[in-house]
Structure formats: C-alpha cells, structure tokens
Amino acid sequence: MKVIISGCGNVGTAILEGLLKDGHDIVVIDTDHKTIELAVNNYDVLGVCGNGTSYEILSEAGAIDADLFISVTGSDEFNMLSCFVAKQMGANHTVARIRNPEYNNPAFEFVKKQLGISMVLNPEMLTAKWLYNVLQVPSASSVEKFSSSDMDMIELLLKDGSPVLGVPLYELRKKLPLNFLICVVQRGEEAHIPNGSFVLQSGDKVGVLTLRSELHKLAKAFGIEKKPAKSVIIVGASKIAYYLSTLLLHAKTSVKLIDKNPEKCLEFAEKLAGATIVNGDGMSQELLLEEGVLSADAFLSLTNKDEENVLMSIYSQSKNVQKTITKINRDELIDISDNLGLDTVVTAKHVVADALVRYARALENSKGSKIETLYSLLSGSAEASEFEVLKDFKYSGVCLKDLKLKSNVLIAGIIRDRHVIIPCGDDFITAGDKVIVITAGESLFDLVDVIK
Amino acid sequence: MNYRLIFSTLARVIRVEAILLLLPLAVSAIYGENCFYAFLITAVGAYLLGTVLKIVCKPKTQYFYSKDGLITVALTWLSVSVIGAIPFVISGEIPSFIDAFFETVSGFTTTGATILENVEGLSNGLLFWRSFTHWIGGMGVLVFIMAITSKTTDRPIHILRAEMPGPSVDKLVPSSKDTAKILYLIYVVLTVVLIILLWLGDMNLFESVIHAFGTAGTGGFGVKNNSIVNYSSYSQWVIAIFMLIFGMNFNLFYLILIKKVGTALKSTELRYYLFIVLTSTVLITFNIYPAYENAGEAIRHAFFQTSSIMTTTGFSTQDFNAWPTLSKIILFVLMLIGGCSGSTAGGFKVSRLVVIFKKIKAELKKVLHPNTISVIKMDGEKVSDGVLGGIVNYLAVYVVCFISITLLISFDGFDFEATFSATAACFNNVGPAFSVAGPMCSYADFTPFSKIILSLAMLLGRLEIYPLLLALTPSTWFKK
C-alpha cells in the first residue's frame, strides 16, 4: 500500500517502522529538514520537507493516489486539516492523531464524518486502555484481548522457583487441569515457538493463551500470583494518567495521583472527582512513603522523564509493591529495562504503532480470511493475529495434521460459536471460525500464509 | 563494520556476475569461438566462490551504516573487475592479467580506455563482454542487484548513495528497490530503442548491440580500431544524440514518464548541460571549419565529439588529436565537467559545477556588500549547507586525487600533454585522451605500474572517490 505519514516525531517514526516491516511504500512529510534527512537515512522511505496541510506538499508526496494518510504532528487541529485536505485530494483512508480530551466525546463523530477521517488515533487513550488491562491481571507483564471471545494472551516472566520450570510442555499440559497454550517463548534475544518437548527455564518470557476466567488460576500454577489492583499510585499528571484514572475510577479502584506542578494538580483535581491528587515530587522517597506506597497494589510512573520513571519504579519495587509499571519513551532504555529488572514497561508509541499496523493490515484485501486483531508479543519478536475465516477459505474442513504449516507458525486457538478450542491435530478450520495464529519472525497478512 | 553482511552482499554480487557471464558465453557459442571455455570456467568458478562465501559469511545482524555502504560498493567494484578480467586471460587474447584488469575496469567504470592496439583481433564473445560491462557498470552493479533481488539490506539508501553519481540521491519512489527497478527499466527501454535505430542504419545486429551498450553506459568500447569513423553519418548522428540523452539525469525521464514534462524541462542542471554542449559545439565548429569541406560536416564532427567527451563516452568520428589547440582545450574542459548527476556519465558533474559557480557569485557579492545574506538555489530549492559543504569538499578531494595520479603517471616519461590528458581521461571515465593516448591510439605503451594506477583512477572516478579512498585507508580495516 502507499502510505503517507505527516509528522515524523516519536510516534511517526514508530509507525513508520511498523509499517515498513510489512512492506508498504512510505512517504514522510515533516517541516523540519533535519528530521526528514534522518528518516531518509535510517529507513527506506521517501521524504518531503514542508507543511503537511499545503496542497503542493501533499501532491508532491502523492496524496492523490495514497491508500492511507496518517497525520501525527503535535497539533490536533493541524492533523484534522491535513486529513481533510488529503481526503479531498483523493487519499483513500485518513488517520488523524487527536489527543485533546475535549475532542474525546461522542459529539466528535460529527466532525470526524464531515472531515472524512477514517480513524482517530489517540495514543494516550490507547495506552491508558492497555494499562488498564494490565492492571486487571497484574501477574502478567502484558495482556492482550482477542475481540470476540474469552481468550486473552498474557505475557509472563518466569522466575526461579516457578513450578513449571524443568518440565517438558506435554507433561505440564497433563499436570495442570487448565485450558492454556504456551504459544511463544523468548529466551535471550530469540523467540521460539515451542513444541511438546520444550522445557522452560528461569528467565524465559512466555506468551500464554488462556481463558479469561482461568487467568488467575493459571498465574497461580505458574507461581506468579498477584491480585487485581484495588489501590493505585500514579506519578505524573499526563494525559495517559488522566484517561487511566477515569477508567480506574469507573471500576471503583482508588487512585492517588502525584505531580510536581501545582497548576496541573489543580486541573486534575477539578476534572477527576474521586481521585486523591497530591502536589509533590514523586522522586522524593519520603513523600512516596507518606502517601502509602507500601500499601498500594500498583505503582505507575508516567512522567515525561524516562530516567525518573525508571528510578521511581526501582524504588517502589524495592518496597515490594506488587505491580510497578514504568513508562519509557526511548527505545534504548527499553532494551536494557530487562537488565534493570523492571516489571512492566509501557511505550506509548509502540502501542500506537501496533494499532496502526493492525489497521493497515485490515485494509489490505485478503483472500478467504479477514484479520481482526493483531498484537506484537515479547517486544516485537513474535506476533499474534486473529483472523475471521470467510466462506472462500481454501482449506476449510481439512484436519490440521494434514495441513503443512510453516515451521515458525502456530495455530493457537479456534473460536467457534463463542466457544474456544485449543486445537490438536484432529481439529479443523471452517468458515465462520475465528482463528488465533502466532508467528515468530514473520508477518501474516492472510490465513492462507500459514501454509507452506 | 558488519563484515559478514558486507561479504554476503559481495557473495551475491559474485553469483550474479557468474550468471551475467552466461550472456557472452552464449555469444561465443553462437560464433563458435574458443573463448566459450574461458567464460564457462570463469562463470562456474565465480558461482562456486560466491556460494562458498555466502555460506561462510552468513550475517548475524542486519545493521548497516554509511561506512558499510561505501565499503560494500568499493569491494564490489574491485571484485567484479578482477573476476571479469579472467576470461580475457584464460582465452589468451589478453595474456597479461594487468592488461586484462585494466580493460575490465575500463569497461565497468564506463571509461572505454583500451590497451588493445588491434581491437578487431578480439573474438566476438570477448568484444560482447567488454561492452556489456559498460552497460552494467553504467547504471551500477549494486543497483542492478537491488533491482533483481528481494532484499539486500535494511538501509539500501547507503548503497544507492555510494554508487549513484552526483552530490545527492533523489529517490523516485519510496522504496529503493522500486527506484532501482524504474531506473533500469528506463535504461533498458532506451537501450533497446537505440539498438533498433542503429540496426536500421549501416550496422549489423552485433555491431548495433555493442555500440548501444557503449553509448548507454557512456563507455565507448567499439568493435573497430578507429572507433566509429567509418560508419554512416546517420549512425553517427544517432549515437551523438543518444550519448547526450544518457548523459542526462535519469530522474528527468521518470518525470516525463509520469507526465511532469514541465518540471523536467525546468531542471537547472539540464539547462546548463545543454547550454554547455551548444556553446562548445558552436565554438569548435568555427574553429575546425577551415579543415572541412562544408559546414554540415564540421557541425556533425563538432557536435559528435562534444557530446562524446562531455558525457565521458569517448567514441570518436575524427582524430581530434589533430584538431587546433582551442578545440582540444575545450574538449579537455568538457572532460573535467562530465555529464549530469544521476546519469551514467562520469566527470565532476554539471550540478556540482553549477553550485560552485553560484557559491563563487555569492561570495563575490559578499565582498562588495559584506552584510548580504544569499541563498544558493537549485531547481527553486535551497541547497542545504550539508550538500554545499560536501560539494566544496569533493572539489578539493578531486583536485588532490587528480594531481597525485598525474604525478604517479609522469614516471613513465611521456610528454606533458599525454600524461595530463591520460589522467584526466581515466579519472573522468572518458577513455581516449590526447597525444599517445589519443582516440586512434591506445594505452598499450604505459608501464604495468601506470596501468594499475590508471585502473584505480577509473574506479575512483566512477565511484566518486570516497568509497575507494575509504577502502584504501588502513584505519578503515584496523581498529585503533
């Protein structure tokens, strides 16, 4: 597909990276010459320097026959205008980053429709929702939901003493009376799709597909048991914090928010009735102790400074807070976060990039199947995708053991009539099913691609 | 540096060259020549070497930076030249390896300088190979690989930049692979058109193909000792015009293809290029007019030689060594200027020259009005400080290399004109020079040492100095 990305900042670059892996032709627009130069040097893209709302610049970038136009500059209004112009010029689909909470209401649908915006991208909102899901299952370092069923994909970090270590997977399956499937294991830098004889080690990160109702039992069986967070401390009054607090308060969780800036605190106090807002420095250990970090179920450091977030999280982990989540923006820090022993790390731009890759794949025509959800697992080394099987699927009704699957592919779940099957060789796929597929080191656009 | 990735790319290049060697192999089979076996041995050997290299150097990581790109390009060109020289040696038609290497480098770099005193004695298969190297080298070996294979590296821009001539690379479409494909498509179509046009004249198919390759790559290898003197004026006009076309930036053809003719015609570089050709033709015509029977003939020869030298092709319809000094000096200056950036031509490139002229103008203005601020523009857009600095720097390196090579060549003891012009002709990938290296003579008389130096000069010129210079710098290879 031909994709244009206007605004090549943090988020723009992450989206660019994600889409480039899928082999799209990408043109980037930015007003800053240096930014464009950097993008062109580092990625196989075309750069156009200029204002993303101007007709000339957009036509130079080829908006007239673009399949997807994404505007992710810093200004919401600029993005809306860009998308409007691009749409009028002939771009097929447009995506605008709009993050001002004032636009986050049902009435905005009207504006969206008038401007011809196909999708509104709110990175903070997406991230907040993701964080909310993780807080519901604190045992996992990340949780992804599949659209139509009770299946969740959770990531667990195995530590010394876990009862699942040293046992081949086929025995583990027999031992535990639960519905689950270990889909992918990250050991070191490599991701494996394990077979029955695979043996787990301490330090492995595993992606497990399981029923939502059995999540907690599973976590317990894996030796990682944490209760859903009922009281949460958030440091940093950012937009993510705002959206997350709203979600948490709605679920009757107690929220305490700490920020240095008194004006910000005042603003949040006004908007978030029900939350406790504290004005103070989150880096101060005394303040954290005073505000009850010892008794909190979860601690989230969501300020804009990566380093401070990391330090605060390390401190709260040392105080045995059950769940700590650290927001990190720089890719370099994410790579070393494992060494620092951080529990869960969140990067808004990756959440956004995932969302867009998913969206772009859904736009592409596929034969016999339609992609519904897509997640990147274990920091991008594997992917889980959910396909809806359409009528003209070629291998409908063929037993899985008779299909020649590629070696790095796993059919992890079949959802039929809202009922989940964790498949074995005698199961088959038929029209109307939803199929969850795990791949390592490859991207899937169509269900047929899993076959050799 | 990511040696494994560099060498695995190199392995791919060698294997592709082995496959390309099958073309001259077929030609020699058709003509039933003995060099068939020379091609067979080389092709099989190269393929095996490539396969071994590929297995040994499986890349562990994919990181690839500017420096890796430059080194890959330099090593590629050196190795394709070494392998390409082997058929000449095995067949015994050019027994000395250094001579064969010179000839192949001259082919791949589209120079067209030859050490053969009797070109007509070469078998057809080798003649074909010699000219085919022009064609491949013209657009770039790695660009060719990029166009035909799936994926070379994560950051192919570094390869495009190192191999494509000119101060900056403008991709046509977002993906480098597609850009390479489009460029080669334009290249192939233009070449085929040229072959047909020449075939319609007084050349047979084989000669048409050879001369089309020589013209398309702006190389200059032919099949006759006296270049294309004996062909009809029709063929000469066709070649002269096509040389001019291949000396233009290929991006312009793409612009025409996507119906942006207006933008293409407004190109600053194109205008200067045509202006220089026109002025030189007029001046030379007046200068040589007394020696010819009519104005038509004088114009034809003047235009042909201007086009041939400016685009650094090196075909000739006349022994311009015998022309008056003014014409020879004009041709010499054209040698240094060369064609447009993004073309198959060599030389300093018109766009760099234009930018430098504009810079000189701006600096002079600053002397008169010390507080003025001026912006240098090309095609209506500001030339960034980085590009500007790069061009000025390139000029300096260019001059230094030129002087050093001249100095090394002067050990041979030829006269001033020969030494100086031979360096210019090789360094700018032109081919024929003046005096002993003139259009009707060859480089056979130079010592092996000079031939190696000139071969390196050709590579330096084709790759625009930096890649090879970097590869020859010890600190690139050893950690300090």
Side-chain angles (χ1 to χ4, degrees):
Chain A
M1 280 202 307
K2 201 175 159 201
V3 184
I4 301 174
I5 301 174
S6 166
C8 200
N10 249 328
V11 172
T13 312
I15 294 173
L16 162 69
E17 240 171 64
L19 292 179
L20 205 59
K21 263 188 218 148
D22 280 3
H24 298 295
D25 283 342
I26 300 174
V27 183
V28 288
I29 304 177
D30 203 293
T31 42
D32 183 36
H33 202 86
K34 289 235 165 71
T35 312
I36 286 292
E37 218 167 274
L38 206 68
V40 172
N41 271 337
N42 291 346
Y43 305 99
D44 195 8
V45 297
L46 201 64
V48 176
C49 185
N51 179 336
T53 56
S54 105
Y55 186 87
E56 277 118 48
I57 295 295
L58 285 174
S59 88
E60 195 186 332
I64 291 156
D65 56 350
D67 297 301
L68 180 57
F69 179 86
I70 303 165
S71 189
V72 283
T73 64
S75 148
D76 291 352
E77 290 75 15
F78 188 97
N79 293 339
M80 289 188 224
L81 182 59
S82 260
C83 281
F84 174 69
V85 178
K87 182 78 187 179
Q88 294 303 317
M89 284 173 75
N92 230 334
H93 300 271
T94 57
V95 175
R97 167 158 85 168
I98 297 172
R99 46 184 185 171
N100 188 338
E102 281 172 28
Y103 293 125
N104 182 32
N105 56 40
F108 187 70
E109 278 300 311
F110 172 76
V111 181
K112 191 181 148 192
K113 202 173 154 197
Q114 295 301 318
L115 293 177
I117 297 172
S118 330
M119 176 184 170
V120 167
L121 198 62
N122 186 337
E124 284 76 14
M125 185 69 178
L126 283 173
T127 313
K129 279 188 179 158
W130 188 89
L131 287 172
Y132 178 76
N133 286 340
V134 173
L135 285 175
Q136 300 311 300
V137 193
S139 332
S141 50
S142 96
V143 180
E144 310 287 5
K145 292 181 183 307
F146 287 99
S147 62
S148 54
S149 67
D150 311 328
M151 298 291 276
D152 278 350
M153 170 68 77
I154 58 171
E155 278 178 38
L156 302 170
L157 175 67
L158 301 180
K159 290 185 179 157
D160 285 330
S162 166
V164 296
L165 301 181
V167 189
L169 292 188
Y170 70 92
E171 273 183 35
L172 200 65
R173 213 48 208 270
K174 273 188 246 160
K175 220 167 74 177
L176 300 173
L178 294 166
N179 267 313
F180 75 98
L181 182 68
I182 296 183
C183 302
V184 58
V185 180
Q186 188 181 19
R187 185 171 293 166
E189 285 192 352
E190 241 177 292
H192 307 270
I193 288 195
N195 56 16
S197 52
F198 196 89
V199 179
L200 295 171
Q201 290 174 2
S202 169
D204 284 354
K205 261 189 171 179
V206 292
V208 188
L209 192 68
T210 178
L211 283 176
R212 196 161 303 151
S213 52
E214 292 180 346
L215 263 179
H216 297 291
K217 281 186 209 158
L218 184 85
K220 199 174 170 185
F222 273 62
I224 313 158
E225 196 193 8
K226 292 174 183 173
K227 289 199 190 77
K230 279 289 159 201
S231 71
V232 174
I233 295 182
I234 301 173
V235 182
S238 56
K239 285 198 182 81
I240 299 179
Y242 168 74
Y243 289 122
L244 178 63
S245 307
T246 321
L247 289 169
L248 288 171
L249 288 171
H250 192 72
K252 307 254 180 304
T253 309
S254 92
V255 175
K256 189 171 277 177
L257 204 139
I258 303 174
D259 196 276
K260 268 191 267 191
N261 185 340
E263 282 153 36
K264 270 267 170 74
C265 288
L266 208 61
E267 188 194 325
F268 270 59
E270 197 184 317
K271 280 197 271 184
L272 293 171
T276 314
I277 314 290
V278 176
N279 181 216
D281 186 358
M283 287 290 279
S284 148
Q285 302 184 348
E286 205 179 296
L287 181 87
L288 289 181
L289 286 174
E290 194 183 336
E291 294 306 331
V293 73
L294 295 177
S295 59
D297 295 330
F299 179 89
L300 289 88
S301 42
L302 305 178
T303 72
N304 286 326
K305 288 189 177 148
D306 284 358
E307 295 80 359
E308 290 192 3
N309 289 344
V310 170
L311 290 176
M312 283 187 277
S313 294
I314 290 175
Y315 174 70
S316 72
Q317 270 180 349
S318 74
K319 291 290 165 211
N320 291 325
V321 176
Q322 181 185 271
K323 181 83 193 169
T324 54
I325 300 181
T326 320
K327 184 181 142 220
I328 293 183
N329 279 334
R330 297 174 64 103
D331 287 327
E332 298 87 338
L333 272 173
I334 298 170
D335 294 338
I336 59 168
S337 68
D338 276 351
N339 301 349
L340 293 172
L342 291 178
D343 182 2
T344 296
V345 168
V346 63
T347 311
K349 61 182 183 185
H350 287 166
V351 176
V352 177
D354 270 10
L356 260 174
V357 168
R358 206 177 306 155
Y359 182 74
R361 284 205 198 159
L363 286 181
E364 286 204 87
N365 277 337
S366 55
K367 301 162 226 97
S369 63
K370 203 173 87 191
I371 195 156
E372 291 231 325
T373 27
L374 168 86
Y375 297 113
S376 63
L377 305 173
L378 307 171
S379 29
S381 50
E383 274 179 7
S385 26
E386 180 181 12
F387 290 96
E388 187 188 333
V389 183
L390 302 177
K391 272 190 190 128
D392 34 3
F393 180 62
K394 255 198 292 191
Y395 303 98
S396 185
V398 182
C399 285
L400 291 185
K401 63 182 176 203
D402 297 330
L403 291 176
K404 282 205 171 119
L405 297 183
K406 286 182 189 162
S407 59
N408 51 355
V409 168
L410 175 76
I411 294 182
I414 301 172
I415 302 154
R416 192 169 297 152
D417 306 328
R418 303 194 62 79
H419 183 74
V420 180
I421 306 165
I422 288 193
C424 57
D426 293 326
D427 286 310
F428 57 89
I429 299 170
T430 181
D433 288 352
K434 291 191 174 164
V435 181
I436 297 170
V437 184
I438 315 290
T439 52
E442 195 178 346
S443 299
L444 278 188
F445 293 93
D446 194 336
L447 191 52
V448 185
D449 292 345
V450 303
I451 286 135
K452 257 183 200 165
Chain B
M1 270 197 305
N2 193 346
Y3 290 108
R4 284 176 172 271
L5 188 59
I6 291 174
F7 280 101
S8 79
T9 310
L10 203 61
R12 187 174 305 188
V13 171
I14 292 172
R15 276 157 50 126
V16 169
E17 193 185 11
I19 293 164
L20 290 178
L21 276 163
L22 298 181
L23 276 169
L25 183 112
V27 172
S28 57
I30 291 169
Y31 286 98
E33 291 165 334
N34 284 334
C35 61
F36 176 84
Y37 298 102
F39 284 118
L40 191 66
I41 294 166
T42 318
V44 171
Y47 196 82
L48 289 178
L49 177 70
T51 312
V52 170
L53 205 59
K54 193 182 167 207
I55 295 166
V56 174
C57 296
K58 212 170 174 202
K60 281 178 184 159
T61 50
Q62 286 291 321
Y63 75 85
F64 195 79
Y65 300 112
S66 181
K67 186 175 162 191
D68 302 81
L70 294 171
I71 294 296
T72 307
V73 170
L75 288 182
T76 297
W77 283 74
L78 281 172
S79 55
V80 293
S81 302
V82 168
I83 291 170
I86 295 172
F88 292 106
V89 181
I90 295 182
S91 67
E93 297 193 35
I94 303 179
S96 148
F97 182 77
I98 288 173
D99 283 354
F101 181 70
F102 182 93
E103 197 76 5
T104 319
V105 169
S106 167
F108 274 114
T109 58
T110 74
T111 307
T114 181
I115 46 81
L116 291 169
E117 290 184 61
N118 181 17
V119 176
E120 287 153 39
L122 217 57
S123 53
N124 285 335
L126 288 168
L127 276 176
F128 180 87
W129 174 237
R130 208 167 75 114
S131 292
F132 189 63
T133 54
H134 273 337
W135 194 80
I136 288 295
M139 195 52 95
V141 179
L142 283 160
V143 177
F144 180 71
I145 309 268
M146 202 184 282
I148 59 166
T149 54
S150 54
K151 195 179 171 195
T152 42
T153 61
D154 263 355
R155 295 174 179 180
I157 183 75
H158 294 314
I159 290 200
L160 270 185
R161 188 172 293 152
E163 204 173 38
M164 300 282 285
S168 61
V169 172
D170 294 317
K171 279 200 277 182
L172 307 170
V173 289
S175 133
S176 298
K177 178 182 161 63
D178 291 342
T179 301
K181 264 189 188 162
I182 292 171
L183 288 177
Y184 257 97
L185 197 69
I186 295 171
Y187 194 44
V188 169
V189 169
L190 283 173
T191 311
V192 170
V193 169
L194 177 58
I195 292 175
I196 293 169
L197 285 176
L198 288 177
W199 200 15
L200 291 175
D202 57 344
M203 290 186 189
N204 62 32
L205 182 60
F206 183 74
E207 287 170 337
S208 309
V209 170
I210 296 288
H211 287 111
F213 283 163
T215 310
T218 65
F221 278 151
V223 291
K224 296 277 194 300
N225 287 336
N226 54 7
S227 195
I228 50 176
V229 175
N230 294 339
Y231 291 101
S232 67
S233 57
Y234 164 80
S235 301
Q236 294 181 357
W237 273 111
V238 168
I239 289 181
I241 290 166
F242 269 85
M243 286 190 294
L244 206 59
I245 289 175
F246 283 107
M248 292 174 191
N249 192 331
F250 273 52
N251 290 7
L252 300 180
F253 302 128
Y254 179 70
L255 285 177
I256 292 170
L257 214 61
I258 57 169
K259 301 197 179 72
K260 284 188 184 164
V261 183
T263 326
L265 292 179
K266 271 190 205 133
S267 155
T268 317
E269 187 180 22
L270 180 70
R271 291 185 167 191
Y272 276 90
Y273 174 67
L274 294 177
F275 172 76
I276 295 171
V277 170
L278 194 70
T279 326
S280 310
T281 308
V282 170
L283 284 174
I284 294 177
T285 307
F286 279 112
N287 191 232
I288 62 170
Y289 180 62
Y292 293 90
E293 287 158 10
N294 57 51
E297 206 174 325
I299 290 174
R300 187 178 83 228
H301 291 310
F303 176 62
F304 190 96
Q305 255 60 241
T306 303
S307 172
S308 168
I309 298 295
M310 172 105 181
T311 62
T312 71
T313 309
F315 280 137
S316 50
T317 60
Q318 280 290 302
D319 185 2
F320 51 76
N321 201 22
W323 281 2
T325 309
L326 174 65
S327 299
K328 279 165 83 170
I329 293 295
I330 292 175
L331 289 179
F332 182 74
V333 173
L334 292 180
M335 261 184 206
L336 300 183
I337 298 174
C340 299
S341 54
S343 70
T344 61
F348 188 68
K349 302 284 156 4
V350 176
S351 62
R352 286 202 181 95
L353 192 74
V354 173
V355 170
I356 284 182
F357 266 124
K358 289 189 173 183
K359 174 85 183 148
I360 292 173
K361 208 172 131 193
E363 290 297 319
L364 284 180
K365 204 171 150 195
K366 214 172 169 84
V367 174
L368 291 175
H369 312 279
N371 293 323
T372 47
I373 305 273
S374 44
V375 170
I376 294 168
K377 283 183 167 181
M378 282 288 272
D379 298 336
E381 271 177 45
K382 185 186 173 231
V383 178
S384 74
D385 290 346
V387 173
L388 192 63
I391 291 174
V392 175
N393 199 12
Y394 184 78
L395 177 65
V397 179
Y398 181 88
V399 172
V400 170
C401 287
F402 192 97
I403 293 170
S404 319
I405 297 163
T406 317
L407 203 64
L408 289 169
I409 300 303
S410 59
F411 281 104
D412 273 9
F414 290 107
D415 62 19
F416 185 77
E417 193 185 1
T419 311
F420 205 62
S421 67
T423 310
C426 285
F427 191 40
N428 295 302
N429 303 137
V430 180
F434 302 117
S435 187
V436 288
M440 303 300 150
C441 312
S442 76
Y443 285 76
D445 296 336
F446 286 86
T447 56
F449 171 73
S450 293
K451 282 176 188 160
I452 292 175
I453 296 296
L454 287 175
S455 303
L456 291 179
M458 290 188 258
L459 284 169
L460 276 174
R462 171 60 181 84
L463 303 178
E464 305 215 308
I465 303 175
Y466 295 118
L468 197 65
L469 208 57
L470 195 66
L472 295 176
T473 309
S475 63
T476 309
W477 301 98
F478 304 107
K479 283 177 196 152
K480 275 188 181 170

